[in-house]
Amino acid sequence: MREMRKWYKYFLDPLRRGRIYLPIDSNFYDHEKAMGGYKADDAYLSKSTFFNKYFWGYHLGRFECYDNFLRKHLKKDEDVLSIASGRCANELFLIEDGYKITCSDLKVFDSYKETKTLFPQFEFMEHDILNGPLYKKYDAVICLSLIYLFNEEKLLTFFRNVSNSLKIGGHLILDSAGSPDNLLSYLIHDVFLKYEMLGIRLIKFLLTGRLQGFVKKHHGYRRTDEEIIETAKQSGFELLHHENYAFTTEFKRSHLLNKAIKPNSIVEKTFKTMREC
Ligand SMILES: C[S@@+](CC[C@H](N)C(=O)[O-])C[C@H]1O[C@@H](n2cnc3c(N)ncnc32)[C@H](O)[C@@H]1O
């Protein structure tokens, strides 16, 4: 089995100098910050303002891709657990349509009260999936944009605990988040985006005379599809369905390419990988 590859992000810090290394996010508050916070705002005035801000078009349409796959593979009479739900936008959109989903994350998030007021049927609990399985067993588990944070040992634990939270014959719907590890994703993340940011830093230096700090942040891990499927197999999972979405997302991380690529353009496929095991 090939080694998973570390996924780095590069950015500038005007308040610091030199090269700075930031480790991977390791607690709920780091994750919350990385997601732009989970606080309530004006969007919580009504269901439509909530979905307009936090579902439709959010993160370049990531949630619409999830919704497409989830509706194909979840049944309304299934008892579903969502792990690492964050602000729970996808889950709430499905709950509104009659799906039975309990959300969870490491901690109760800031806008929990406002969410419950807007969606009284909303159920949420604190759970760290690395700490153990749920007491209750579910027909299905969904997990969107989490496992990129896990090294191999944690990924094994994740699959084992999810498997033990499912009824016999239950299924897991998983988004691996980020691009699969391959030559193209290596060239984008480890070469193009890095040197683009160094170029921006140089241009800023030439314009202002100030050299900003160059930050290398360990964002997570990239894996091939085969690596994830292989690890899942060790906990008794078998791959049932697999679709690729959001091809342009990785390119849109580039300052240069961002404006050139239209969202939902014809190449909007591949890269973000959703799997049903
Ligand atoms: C990138 S966010 C994804 C949130 C949401 N599912 C989405 O797609 O926008 C990752 C979430 O995973 C949660 N998380 C991180 N480690 C976790 C763990 N061990 N168990 C459960 N949730 C975890 C974080 O608190 C964070 O809310």
Side-chain angles (χ1 to χ4, degrees):
M1 190 167 79
R2 259 198 322 139
E3 263 300 286
M4 70 205 165
R5 191 187 292 277
K6 282 190 179 171
W7 174 10
Y8 295 108
K9 286 193 177 175
Y10 299 92
F11 56 92
L12 301 181
D13 183 342
L15 302 176
R16 298 169 81 175
R17 283 165 180 270
R19 298 209 171 211
I20 302 134
Y21 175 79
L22 295 180
I24 194 164
D25 293 341
S26 61
N27 61 47
F28 177 74
Y29 304 102
D30 290 341
H31 299 309
E32 186 188 30
K33 192 169 157 215
M35 293 299 287
Y38 294 141
K39 286 199 186 331
D41 57 18
D42 287 354
Y44 284 76
L45 283 173
S46 73
K47 291 178 180 176
S48 65
T49 51
F50 174 81
F51 290 125
N52 280 339
K53 175 155 184 189
Y54 289 114
F55 180 80
W56 297 112
Y58 199 69
H59 283 180
L60 304 168
R62 177 166 72 91
F63 292 168
E64 286 146 85
C65 297
Y66 292 158
D67 190 67
N68 186 292
F69 191 88
L70 291 166
R71 280 173 196 273
K72 282 191 216 162
H73 300 288
L74 284 180
K75 295 191 189 76
K76 288 192 177 170
D77 61 356
E78 283 180 322
D79 206 359
V80 181
L81 170 74
S82 162
I83 291 167
S85 314
R87 205 181 269 278
C88 312
N90 269 105
E91 294 79 355
L92 288 163
F93 198 62
L94 289 166
I95 290 167
E96 275 299 282
D97 202 17
Y99 289 86
K100 229 167 63 185
I101 305 176
T102 301
C103 295
S104 71
D105 206 301
L106 293 173
K107 296 238 175 276
V108 174
F109 57 109
D110 278 340
S111 48
Y112 169 78
K113 246 175 69 187
E114 290 79 358
T115 308
K116 187 80 183 157
T117 305
L118 211 50
F119 304 92
Q121 71 278 43
F122 175 59
E123 295 294 338
F124 180 92
M125 63 184 152
E126 287 186 0
H127 188 74
D128 180 341
I129 193 60
L130 298 180
N131 272 354
L134 278 294
Y135 290 115
K136 183 177 160 179
K137 303 241 187 265
Y138 292 84
D139 298 307
V141 166
I142 66 179
C143 183
L144 310 172
S145 193
L146 171 67
I147 64 165
Y148 72 97
L149 291 166
F150 295 158
N151 61 20
E152 203 51 28
E153 190 190 339
K154 288 181 177 172
L155 190 63
L156 267 167
T157 308
F158 165 84
F159 280 119
R160 192 175 56 239
N161 289 340
V162 171
S163 173
N164 289 328
S165 305
L166 283 165
K167 292 178 188 165
I168 307 252
H171 59 128
L172 163 66
I173 298 184
L174 179 68
D175 161 55
S176 59
S179 43
D181 189 29
N182 56 34
L183 180 63
L184 183 57
S185 61
Y186 163 75
L187 290 174
I188 293 171
H189 290 280
D190 299 307
V191 182
F192 183 75
L193 292 177
K194 175 179 172 183
Y195 288 100
E196 182 188 59
M197 195 48 72
L198 282 168
I200 292 172
R201 185 181 188 228
L202 180 64
I203 291 168
K204 288 194 173 184
F205 173 65
L206 293 174
L207 292 175
T208 65
R210 287 199 63 248
L211 197 56
Q212 300 192 1
F214 182 73
V215 184
K216 177 179 183 177
K217 159 101 176 122
H218 181 192
H219 183 65
Y221 299 92
R222 293 199 304 271
R223 297 180 166 86
T224 62
D225 289 351
E226 293 69 29
E227 283 169 334
I228 297 173
I229 293 162
E230 196 50 48
T231 309
K233 266 189 194 161
Q234 295 179 45
S235 293
F237 287 105
E238 149 193 24
L239 185 71
L240 298 177
H241 305 100
H242 176 194
E243 275 185 57
N244 299 314
Y245 292 87
F247 176 71
T248 56
T249 305
E250 302 305 304
F251 295 102
K252 285 182 79 66
R253 297 185 194 281
S254 153
H255 291 256
L256 280 175
L257 299 178
N258 184 31
K259 294 199 172 46
I261 299 171
K262 290 193 193 110
N264 302 318
S265 67
I266 193 115
V267 285
E268 193 84 22
K269 273 218 178 308
T270 319
F271 267 168
K272 277 260 159 59
T273 308
M274 293 193 75
R275 301 172 179 81
E276 186 184 20
C277 300

